[in-house]
Amino acid sequence: MKILCVDGGGIRGVFPIAILQAIEEEFQTPIGDLFDVIAGTSTGSIIAASAAIKTPMNKVMESYLKYGEKIFVRNAKVGLFKSVYTDRYLRRLLIRAFKDLALKDIKKPLLIPAVDLTHGKPYVHRSDYGFSKSEELSVKLWDAVLSSCSAPIYFPPNNVNNQYLSIDGGLWANNPSLVSVTEVLHHFKVDLDDIQIFSIGTGQQRIDFTIDEKKYWGIRHWMPFQFPSMKVTPKLLDLAMDLSSESVSYHCRLLLGEHYFRLNKELSEEIPFDDISFMTEMKIWGKEVFNENKEGIFKFLNGVSK
């Protein structure tokens, strides 16, 4: 069973989109047709949901480049009294992309990790492949994706059908690979040896926490802000998501061995998930990573070299 898993990472989602776009161009096939199960968290949920409904990756890329600047226009400088960003443009993008589709309309097995903030629990939105309740399946696809994208402080929690508030799934499953493993083991009753995961990161940052002579650390160290603009850098949130992703990758490699194929890139600097100035570079790096790993990608997808 082949599974596609896409990490969270905000605007850095341009990186996995570029890789998937290159694969579609090489195979002349929608990316969703190459996998049995698709999973994505946060920005990865946009990509995963798009793949599940066979939206071409070049169109997904166009949407990121078009809407990125609008989504990350600051609603507040610091985020003390309201979220840094409004979700107005993100919501508009998702509704335009997924229209009126509900999870019950998606037959391709799709997993979208989120957080049920109201009840303090991790949560996974699932498409209709036989294991979800009718009220869960009635959730709109765009609503499930918005829930997974709602990074705390930076976006407001998403109100799901007036039943609960939901926030970013990256808080517990930024790399949804382990979620996918447990899901297919439990629901599809396959053996571990039959699971193959194609995992794509959004760039592994080199986040600088330089040793400081001062004994006490406060918010300015964990969430630095710049004067005079008072712009906040999501350093702590980026660190937590990077650690989550790499921890999951470590365990998946131990569990699956060569059946876990991960593409990512070490970044030479910090690229916050809301920094739209790096979109062009992330797109170029995605294409480069595809070319560097082309043989391994083709071997994974169809067992032959290219």
Side-chain angles (χ1 to χ4, degrees):
M1 178 170 280
K2 285 186 169 66
I3 307 171
L4 171 64
C5 296
V6 187
D7 284 20
I11 203 63
R12 297 196 306 271
V14 168
F15 175 79
I17 295 170
I19 293 173
L20 295 175
Q21 183 179 347
I23 292 173
E24 285 191 336
E25 291 170 356
E26 289 284 345
F27 279 81
Q28 290 296 297
T29 304
I31 199 71
D33 288 346
L34 299 173
F35 296 91
D36 302 301
V37 178
I38 302 174
T41 303
S42 196
T43 196
S45 71
I46 302 175
I47 301 165
S50 299
I53 63 172
K54 300 187 181 181
T55 302
M57 285 297 121
N58 66 324
K59 288 190 175 181
V60 180
M61 180 68 79
E62 289 173 5
S63 294
Y64 267 63
L65 298 178
K66 177 181 178 181
Y67 279 91
E69 292 184 4
K70 295 180 180 179
I71 290 171
F72 291 108
V73 171
R74 289 186 172 253
N75 184 45
K77 291 183 178 180
V78 181
L80 291 177
F81 303 107
K82 59 181 177 180
S83 60
V84 175
Y85 302 111
T86 174
D87 63 4
R88 183 187 307 115
Y89 289 105
L90 178 57
R91 185 183 298 263
R92 188 176 299 174
L93 163 64
L94 298 179
I95 293 174
R96 178 170 295 184
F98 304 125
K99 300 180 172 62
D100 204 39
L101 288 171
L103 291 174
K104 65 183 179 183
D105 301 317
I106 314 301
K107 303 308 176 186
K108 171 70 71 172
L110 172 66
L111 306 174
I112 300 175
V115 173
D116 178 346
L117 181 63
T118 300
H119 302 98
K121 295 179 180 180
Y123 186 82
V124 179
H125 291 282
R126 298 173 175 86
S127 59
D128 188 13
Y129 51 93
F131 304 103
S132 297
K133 299 176 182 178
S134 58
E135 61 266 26
E136 295 172 323
L137 292 172
S138 68
V139 173
K140 299 298 183 184
L141 180 58
W142 67 262
D143 218 359
V145 172
L146 181 58
S147 293
S148 190
C149 291
S150 298
I153 298 176
Y154 291 88
F155 290 102
N158 185 36
N159 184 332
V160 182
N161 292 340
N162 286 322
Q163 296 176 358
Y164 60 92
L165 296 176
S166 185
I167 57 175
D168 199 328
L171 293 177
W172 70 280
N174 200 54
N175 176 346
S177 295
L178 269 182
V179 174
S180 301
V181 170
T182 56
E183 186 78 8
V184 299
L185 287 175
H186 180 67
H187 289 308
F188 292 96
K189 309 300 181 186
V190 301
D191 294 331
L192 192 62
D193 290 341
D194 294 326
I195 298 174
Q196 294 177 279
I197 291 183
F198 188 90
S199 172
I200 311 180
T202 56
Q204 186 176 355
Q205 296 189 83
R206 183 173 296 175
I207 300 177
D208 180 24
F209 282 103
T210 303
I211 296 175
D212 195 324
E213 293 181 359
K214 295 181 180 179
K215 182 179 180 181
Y216 301 105
W217 277 40
I219 191 171
R220 70 181 183 86
H221 295 90
W222 296 111
M223 307 281 281
F225 48 89
Q226 303 166 7
F227 295 103
S229 68
M230 294 295 287
K231 179 180 178 181
V232 179
T233 302
K235 203 166 192 174
L236 179 59
L237 193 55
D238 269 332
L239 175 66
M241 291 183 175
D242 269 13
L243 292 174
S244 171
S245 289
E246 294 312 308
S247 173
V248 167
S249 290
Y250 171 78
H251 288 98
C252 283
R253 288 189 182 97
L254 290 180
L255 287 171
L256 302 176
E258 293 182 354
H259 285 185
Y260 184 73
F261 185 81
R262 181 160 170 86
L263 296 177
N264 207 0
K265 178 180 176 63
E266 288 192 11
L267 305 177
S268 59
E269 57 186 306
E270 294 180 22
I271 301 180
F273 68 78
D274 61 346
D275 193 338
I276 59 175
S277 66
F278 282 91
M279 283 194 288
T280 299
E281 285 87 347
M282 296 300 294
K283 182 179 178 181
I284 293 171
W285 292 334
K287 182 67 174 179
E288 289 175 351
V289 168
F290 169 79
N291 289 326
E292 291 166 1
N293 294 274
K294 200 169 184 179
E295 184 173 352
I297 291 170
F298 275 81
K299 184 177 180 181
F300 179 94
L301 291 175
N302 57 17
V304 300
S305 299
K306 178 81 171 182

